[in-house]
Amino acid sequence: MAEKKEKLFDQFPPVTTAEWREKVEADLKGAPFDKKLVWRTNEGFNVQPMYRAEDIENLSTTDSLPGEYPFVRGTRTDNDWFARQEIEAADPVAANAKAVEVLGKGITSLGFRMKECDAATVAALLKDIDIAKVEINFAACPRHCEELCVNLVKYVKDNGAADTFRGSIDFNPFKKALKHGVAFPGDIAQMAASMIAAAADVKGLRLLGADSVMLSDAGAYIYQELGYALSWGAEWLTLLTDKGISVDEVASRVKFNMGISSNYFMEIAKFRAARMLWAQIVELYKPASTDACKMAVHATTSKFNQTIYDAHVNLLRSQTECMSAALAGVDSITVTPFDAPYRTPDDFSERIARNQQFLLKEESHLDKVVDPAGGSYYVETLTVAIAKEAWKLFLEVEEKGGFLAAVNDGEVQRAVRATSEKRHTDVARRKEILLGTNQYPNINEMAAGKIERTGCSCGCHDHEADNQEASLPTARAASDFEALRLATEAAANRPKVFMLTIGNLAMRLARAQFSTNFFGCAGYEIIDNLGFETVQQGVDEALAKGADVIVLCSSDDEYAQLAPEAYRYLDGRAEFVVAGAPACTDDLKAIGIENFVNVRSNVLDTLRAFNERLLK
């Protein structure tokens, strides 16, 4: 008897996209579909509210399997990424002790930030570490990377691990121009060629850094980071194949170190697009094997969106970021500890950062599934859309002479600086939300006392660039708001904001909540209320409690009467604010009312103006 297979959807007739759209438009009740539901991304393309199978019918990204060219679905047939921890190696003995300790706690990759690169330092750092099983990565001053390469290769060969070693030296001579606006003085191609020659017997040692994480941490959009990263990698291919080194050898030495922002699905798509585009770039150089087209990617969670206030929210940001990279199939991940913006991470925050990766492996089993986003109508469409925008930028850079020329001219830095400034404006206007900073702040938190690291708080720079305009910005997205709150903390008297709630119950509660969040972003003391019968009663109560600012919270219809009455009765004894943008705004301004707060307000500029008046 033939087995009967139930067709679960046979009883439902197929529904076309046009029918879905017709239903949505009916529910919108005349509101325009494109304005209400279509999202315009910072990457320059639109995102629809729904996707269907027909949207990916003609996409080539669905034609390959994991491990197959062009590697959009991954360069491996597994997803067991390396969990990396970064370690400062100023004291090699102490750094080694810490490395051995964290290896016992589940870490499978180490990142040493070096100062000295001699043979003794390398040996001290790697003492008692099984370099055949643990991925080892080094970051050092570009001038010392040749010395480091020679000493590391000797150590690896002396310990019989030449065939099994896996790791990298982050040779990044572009960093000086990117961070300080000054071109690297040495012969980049010759130094890189010498390192490749020195590492000839250690095939698993990546040497040529493409550190687009620097761009991500400076505030670059996703398509910018990807476009510039590809151009960076292509610059290595051009410089060294011109030296007579095979493209297979050069490509196998390039290591991409990329950032991860909190744009969850976009980041998954970014890494998938990155592998696909890089494979196609390398293929143009005619490698002997498609293995040369595989992209090696390390990913680090963002510093740009980390905050000092409500810092534990950083854990939520880095968790989703880490998840994006893991689902996208990167080779290794570093989770930035939540307290990094204001101090050197301690044992607790480093432990939490490690565990964030372990949870994704051991509890969520993300390491057991390769490319789970493959075939997703949404993610596949995003992958192609991001790839197109990044490719446009890549071609623009190549047409102007390549990445090195663009960096030395400051073009890359200026483009990222412009983006950073735009994003700071979006944060100021709450178009980009930082939970706990520009929306729903913890109004009673004081942060000045926990800031230990100098040069890390609001708006300042760890190192002053020689050429500010031609250097990457360093201010995090939250830095302007943090400067505002720290100024409030430093003031002799913390301003008090009183919510004068009156009239329509629903509107006064909603506007009091909005205004509480608004003024809480400056760290002011908020005094909320259940409601008053008259404005005189509310003003008297506010002044009795020492209010510096009185916010009238009511409905638009009632403001025409209540606002003039309250304003005249207050008679300049405190700042007066109307919550909202009522139709009678011009009439209220005509009698002298100047302050209005609403969803169109620039929160940062408004609060700065209040600080100037209140913190004297």
Side-chain angles (χ1 to χ4, degrees):
M1 182 177 177
E3 182 182 356
K4 182 180 179 180
K5 293 185 178 180
E6 186 175 10
K7 303 291 186 180
L8 295 178
F9 295 101
D10 282 354
Q11 58 186 305
F12 301 105
V15 180
T16 67
T17 300
E19 289 173 313
W20 271 113
R21 172 120 183 190
E22 183 179 344
K23 173 60 177 171
V24 171
E25 289 177 338
D27 289 344
L28 287 173
K29 298 178 181 179
F33 180 92
D34 289 339
K35 288 187 177 180
K36 275 288 184 180
L37 299 180
V38 176
W39 165 39
R40 182 68 175 178
T41 70
N42 291 325
E43 275 50 57
F45 57 86
N46 291 337
V47 172
Q48 299 294 324
M50 63 179 182
Y51 289 92
R52 291 162 55 85
E54 62 205 57
D55 291 304
I56 66 169
E57 284 179 352
N58 299 317
L59 299 185
S60 60
T61 55
T62 59
D63 294 341
S64 62
L65 295 174
E68 293 182 357
Y69 180 90
F71 310 110
V72 64
R73 303 201 62 196
T75 59
R76 312 183 304 277
T77 55
D78 65 73
N79 195 31
D80 191 14
W81 72 89
F82 286 101
R84 187 196 291 190
Q85 179 158 335
E86 309 296 336
I87 299 175
E88 292 290 346
D91 181 340
V93 175
N96 171 258
K98 183 172 184 177
V100 172
E101 177 188 0
V102 299
L103 288 174
K105 295 178 178 179
I107 284 295
T108 53
S109 174
L110 298 168
F112 292 111
R113 289 189 282 264
M114 309 278 286
K115 288 193 174 180
E116 301 297 329
C117 298
D118 56 86
T121 298
V122 171
L125 280 175
L126 300 180
K127 183 176 181 291
D128 299 326
I129 294 175
D130 188 347
I131 59 174
K133 296 180 179 178
V134 179
E135 186 190 60
I136 308 293
N137 305 278
F138 297 91
C141 172
R143 295 192 306 273
H144 300 152
C145 283
E146 285 186 82
E147 176 191 8
L148 174 59
C149 181
V150 170
N151 291 325
L152 175 61
V153 167
K154 184 177 186 307
Y155 182 90
V156 169
K157 293 169 71 173
D158 288 348
N159 285 270
D163 296 330
T164 54
F165 179 84
R166 182 168 180 176
S168 68
I169 293 174
D170 184 28
F171 177 53
N172 180 4
F174 303 90
K175 183 183 295 185
K176 188 174 180 66
L178 287 168
K179 293 189 71 172
H180 303 289
V182 178
F184 183 72
D187 186 335
I188 292 173
Q190 184 56 51
M191 293 174 71
S194 297
M195 292 174 65
I196 290 174
D201 295 329
V202 184
K203 300 299 184 183
L205 178 59
R206 301 259 172 179
L207 299 167
L208 312 174
D211 297 339
S212 65
V213 63
M214 298 173 63
L215 312 180
S216 177
D217 284 342
Y221 290 139
I222 288 173
Y223 86 95
Q224 287 180 311
E225 185 199 358
L226 178 52
Y228 288 133
L230 295 170
S231 186
W232 197 331
E235 188 70 41
W236 283 125
L237 298 182
T238 300
L239 287 174
L240 292 166
T241 54
D242 285 349
K243 283 279 186 181
I245 304 174
S246 73
V247 65
D248 296 76
E249 178 69 13
V250 179
S252 69
R253 301 295 184 177
V254 177
K255 179 70 170 285
F256 289 87
N257 298 293
M258 304 183 76
I260 326 166
S261 75
S262 290
N263 199 331
Y264 183 74
F265 289 105
M266 285 278 202
E267 287 292 347
I268 295 175
K270 179 188 78 177
F271 289 112
R272 300 176 86 247
R275 287 192 298 267
M276 176 179 68
L277 294 177
W278 177 244
Q280 293 171 352
I281 290 170
V282 176
E283 181 67 15
L284 293 174
Y285 285 78
K286 307 297 183 184
S289 168
T290 56
D291 283 347
C293 302
K294 293 181 178 180
M295 186 184 212
V297 185
H298 173 69
T300 302
T301 61
S302 176
K303 295 183 179 70
F304 182 74
N305 64 11
Q306 284 196 318
T307 61
I308 292 175
Y309 286 91
D310 223 342
H312 288 95
V313 178
N314 292 333
L315 293 170
L316 304 180
R317 299 181 181 111
S318 58
Q319 189 67 49
T320 64
E321 292 164 4
C322 182
M323 191 173 177
S324 293
L327 291 174
V330 302
D331 298 296
S332 55
I333 302 174
T334 294
V335 174
T336 305
F338 74 89
D339 54 353
Y342 56 88
R343 68 180 180 189
T344 300
D346 60 15
D347 290 341
F348 173 75
S349 64
E350 288 185 340
R351 176 189 174 194
I352 294 296
R354 290 194 298 271
N355 288 347
Q356 287 180 262
Q357 294 202 57
F358 301 156
L359 282 170
L360 295 181
K361 283 175 177 268
E362 305 302 329
E363 300 289 339
S364 301
H365 306 297
L366 298 192
D367 59 335
K368 303 297 191 292
V369 184
V370 183
D371 191 32
S376 161
Y377 306 150
Y378 181 43
V379 176
E380 292 288 3
T381 306
L382 282 184
T383 299
V384 172
I386 289 174
K388 286 181 178 178
E389 296 304 319
W391 190 250
K392 288 179 188 176
L393 180 58
F394 170 78
L395 293 178
E396 287 176 12
V397 175
E398 294 306 297
E399 287 171 1
K400 294 178 181 178
F403 187 74
L404 180 58
V407 168
N408 286 341
D409 289 344
E411 182 177 334
V412 173
Q413 299 90 311
R414 284 189 292 273
V416 174
R417 184 173 289 276
T419 298
S420 178
E421 290 171 357
K422 171 65 165 57
R423 293 187 66 182
H424 275 81
T425 299
D426 287 346
V427 170
R429 302 186 69 88
R430 292 208 282 212
K431 290 177 66 177
E432 185 171 334
I433 299 298
L434 289 172
L435 190 65
T437 296
N438 69 347
Q439 185 70 287
Y440 305 120
N442 178 353
I443 59 176
N444 294 315
E445 180 183 6
M446 300 294 168
K450 71 181 183 182
I451 298 175
E452 298 175 4
R453 179 186 292 169
T454 59
C456 68
S457 63
C458 325
C460 62
H461 303 272
D462 288 336
H463 300 284
E464 194 68 23
D466 298 294
N467 183 347
Q468 286 286 346
E469 188 63 29
S471 62
L472 292 175
T474 59
R476 291 170 291 104
S479 60
D480 296 323
F481 277 96
E482 290 166 355
L484 195 72
R485 287 194 67 169
L486 289 173
T488 300
E489 287 188 36
N493 295 302
R494 182 185 179 194
K496 295 180 179 180
V497 180
F498 186 94
M499 301 299 156
L500 200 168
T501 51
I502 189 170
N504 182 286
L505 179 62
M507 291 304 301
R508 77 191 192 201
L509 290 177
R511 282 177 163 156
Q513 181 62 55
F514 174 85
S515 301
T516 294
N517 286 330
F518 193 103
F519 286 97
C521 293
Y524 296 166
E525 180 182 344
I526 307 297
I527 305 172
D528 203 355
N529 300 282
L530 296 177
F532 298 95
E533 294 296 325
T534 67
V535 292
Q536 290 89 347
Q537 180 187 5
V539 170
D540 289 341
E541 180 72 12
L543 295 176
K545 292 189 175 181
D548 300 285
V549 180
I550 298 175
V551 184
L552 183 64
C553 302
S554 189
S555 65
D556 285 0
D557 293 340
E558 293 168 295
Y559 278 143
Q561 175 187 341
L562 296 176
E565 185 180 346
Y567 177 71
R568 292 188 179 107
Y569 183 70
L570 179 60
D571 194 25
R573 290 176 287 176
E575 295 278 349
F576 182 70
V577 179
V578 173
C584 62
T585 294
D586 289 340
D587 295 333
L588 299 182
K589 288 182 177 180
I591 66 170
I593 298 175
E594 298 178 349
N595 301 314
F596 297 83
V597 295
N598 51 67
V599 293
R600 292 190 293 274
S601 299
N602 184 308
V603 183
L604 181 65
D605 287 350
T606 302
L607 293 176
R608 279 173 170 166
F610 274 101
N611 260 16
E612 289 179 5
R613 298 196 294 270
L614 298 175
L615 303 185
K616 294 180 180 179

